[in-house]
Structures are given as structure tokens and as C-alpha cells.
Amino acid sequence: MKQHPEKETQLTGELLLLLAGLAALGALATNIILPAFPDMARELGTSVKDLSATLGTFFVAFAIGQLFVGPLSDRFGRQWLVLSGLIVFVIGSAICILAANLPQLVIGRIVQALGVCATSVLSRAIARDLFEGDALARTLSLIMVAMAAAPGFSPLLGGVLNNLLGWRATFGVVAGLALLLGIHYLMRLGETHRMERRMNLSVSGIAGSYRQLLRDRKFIAPALSVSLVIGSLYMFFAMAPALLMEGFGFSPFGLALFFASTVFVVFGAGFMAPRVARRWGTVVAARSGIGIAWAGSIALLLGQQDATYFSVALTIYLLGMGMINPLGTAIALQPFGAKAGAASALLGFLQMGCAALAIGIASVLPVSTYMGFCIVLTSCQAVALVVFMRGVRP
């Protein structure tokens, strides 16, 4: 089995792109089908509203699957789980391509999520296997940028594919990307979790590992802070059609372009974060990122409700989110090299949990969609800032 000595791997652009691709595949598969919902509903004999089940079940399976993938990789290594996850994802995509009704499509999406959750979790764990310090922060910056950017570009890509080839082609494209990533991973990287660092595996051991992480302030404070901020981003993606199309009159193509434009802000912040961290220190830079995100959310809550103002204020939030995401993730994972898989899995679960909770609260508040979004967004950033400032020390 191909194995790499820890901390000896060169931080190259090729390796960064490979890890970013593994991280972004799940996010890409999440939103790529949104523009095709009307066509899918007509062909499958269902409604656009009912098709939301393909998103909800995907998130649930994705979140739960992570909790098993992390500890398994700490015990048996990363390689077989990455490759198996990609194969399962391809199988799920094939089920979606052949689906003749909504239940079959939902089953395919569940299988997709159970496979791709492995690549999302293990991209971070592999980064922790290979790098430390500034190199880890730089690697996680690109990984986090890719995960945040993929939902922005995927609706645009999905709309183009749907118009040219039909909605089933979107599943074929993501399956093809998974196969290419698997081949590249096997040839370029291989196993990164050395035998002497592997942990014993048992149900009580898995539960104990998660329990220790939840009780350890070095993990839970930065992890919860990052999860509240990134969960707010997923809330925005979920509520964006109502906010932008119904609230501000965006067309479907305009919505896709708006999503794509947010990517450049996230890219800029992600590349800026390690440089700011080297100048001010990682903890101070991460704290500043949460503060910037909070300032943007306050501007949304208290400002004008028009498209231009919304775009400017949201950009401020995205700038802060793009800073705290990689830096906070690096702070949370840095002390836990021996159980990086479990730590990464629990971090992913917390992010999905915060996203689901934020969406649920915003949807039931007795206010307009816009105000519900702004209230929850501002509250999440405020709690994240308090948790980080009280729990993380330079």
C-alpha cells in the first residue's frame, strides 16, 4: 500500500487541487440539480415542492454518515474509505440517472450522500495527516474555499447542463468527476494515516472519542464557532430562492449568476486568511473574521431591503466567513492528529446540524422571510463570536 511519511509531503498546487476536489464534490452535488427542478418535476410526475426531499434526505444522510467515516478512517486508514466512498457515490448517481419516480430519486440521493460524505470528512483529515502549522492553514484555506465556492457555481453549471443535455446529465457529470478524483487520488496520494497512529475501534471507543472531543475546549470552542458561521452560509443557500427571486425579483439565471459572484468573495477571503494569520496570529485573525461576519449580518438586519444594499452587506458577511472558516478549522483540528478523522467528522456534523437548526428557526419565526433570515444570521454570528472569544486563547 502506498504510504506517505507524515509531514514530508510537498505542499504543491496539484495536491491542493486534489484535496479541494475531494472536499467540494459533496457541495457540488448538493445544489447542482436546483435549476432543473421544474423539468424533473414534470418528468417524474411530482411537484417542485416535493422535490425538496432530495435535498433534505441528502443532508441527513451526509451528516450521519460522517460520524461513522471519521472513526473508521482513524482505525483502518483513509485510502480505502475515500475510494469506497467515491464508488458508492457513483452508484448513487447511476440510481438517480435511471430514476423513474421521486422515491427512486430520493434513494439515489441518499446513496450519493453516504458515499460523498467520506471525501468531505477525509479531505480535512488527510490535510491534518500531512501538514502542520502554516502549511496546514494554507491547505485548509483552499479546502474550505472549495467547499464554500462549490454551492455557488453548481447552480450555474447545473442550469447549463439541464438546458443542453437534460437533468439526468447532471448526475452523469458528477459521477464522472468522482471517477477522475478516485484515479488521481490513487495515483498521486494513497494512504496518509500511518499504522503507528491508528486507534482501536469499538462502539464504546467511538462514543468515548466523540465525548472527549465535545468536552475538550480546544476542539469544541473553535468547532462550534466555525459551524455557526458556515451553517449560516448553508441557510442562505437554502433561503436564497425566496429571498432573491420572490423578494427582489431575480430570474433563475440571475439567481445562478448571483451565486457565482459570491464565489469570488469567498476565494479572496480564503486566500487572504493565512496571510493575515501570519501577521496577527491565527487566533486574532480568526476572531476578526467572525467580527467582520457579524458586522455584515448587523448591516443586513438594520439596513435597507433592496437588492444593491443586500449584496453589499452580504459581501461583508462572506468576507468574514471566508476568513474564519479555514482558520477556525485549523485551530480545531491542530491538536488532534491521532484522531483527525473523528475530529473532522464531528466538525462536519456540527456544521450540518447548525445549518439545519438555523433553517428550521428562520422558517418558523413570525416575521417576513427576509427578517427571519437576518435575525437568525445575526444571532449565529453573535453566539459564534462569544464562544470563540471565551473558549479560544492566542
Side-chain angles (χ1 to χ4, degrees), residues 108-124:
R109 291 287 283 172
I110 292 172
V111 175
Q112 271 192 320
L114 291 174
V116 81
C117 70
T119 66
S120 177
V121 171
L122 296 182
S123 62
R124 296 188 294 262

Side-chain angles (χ1 to χ4, degrees), residues 68-89:
F68 295 93
V69 167
L72 284 171
S73 75
D74 287 337
R75 174 62 183 90
F76 299 109
R78 321 294 188 206
Q79 178 173 280
W80 77 273
L81 276 164
V82 169
L83 297 176
S84 298
L86 290 171
I87 292 171
V88 170
F89 177 78

Side-chain angles (χ1 to χ4, degrees), residues 20 41 61 166 168 233 292 347 365:
R168 297 180 191 272
L233 177 69
I292 294 171
L347 176 61
L365 288 177

Side-chain angles (χ1 to χ4, degrees), residues 283-309:
V283 173
V284 174
R287 187 187 302 160
S288 300
I290 304 177
I292 294 171
W294 189 35
S297 65
I298 292 175
L300 284 168
L301 179 64
L302 302 180
Q304 306 170 27
Q305 295 187 29
D306 66 72
T308 302
Y309 183 87

Side-chain angles (χ1 to χ4, degrees), residues 248-328:
F248 298 136
F250 280 44
S251 66
F253 183 68
L255 177 67
L257 286 179
F258 185 89
F259 273 143
S261 68
T262 65
V263 172
F264 297 102
V265 180
V266 177
F267 264 118
F271 285 116
M272 180 177 67
R275 293 171 173 80
V276 176
R278 284 195 296 271
R279 186 178 183 88
W280 294 351
T282 303
V283 173
V284 174
R287 187 187 302 160
S288 300
I290 304 177
I292 294 171
W294 189 35
S297 65
I298 292 175
L300 284 168
L301 179 64
L302 302 180
Q304 306 170 27
Q305 295 187 29
D306 66 72
T308 302
Y309 183 87
F310 180 88
S311 300
V312 173
L314 186 71
T315 297
I316 298 173
Y317 158 75
L318 291 171
L319 181 64
M321 185 279 301
M323 290 182 62
I324 176 59
N325 198 12
L327 298 178

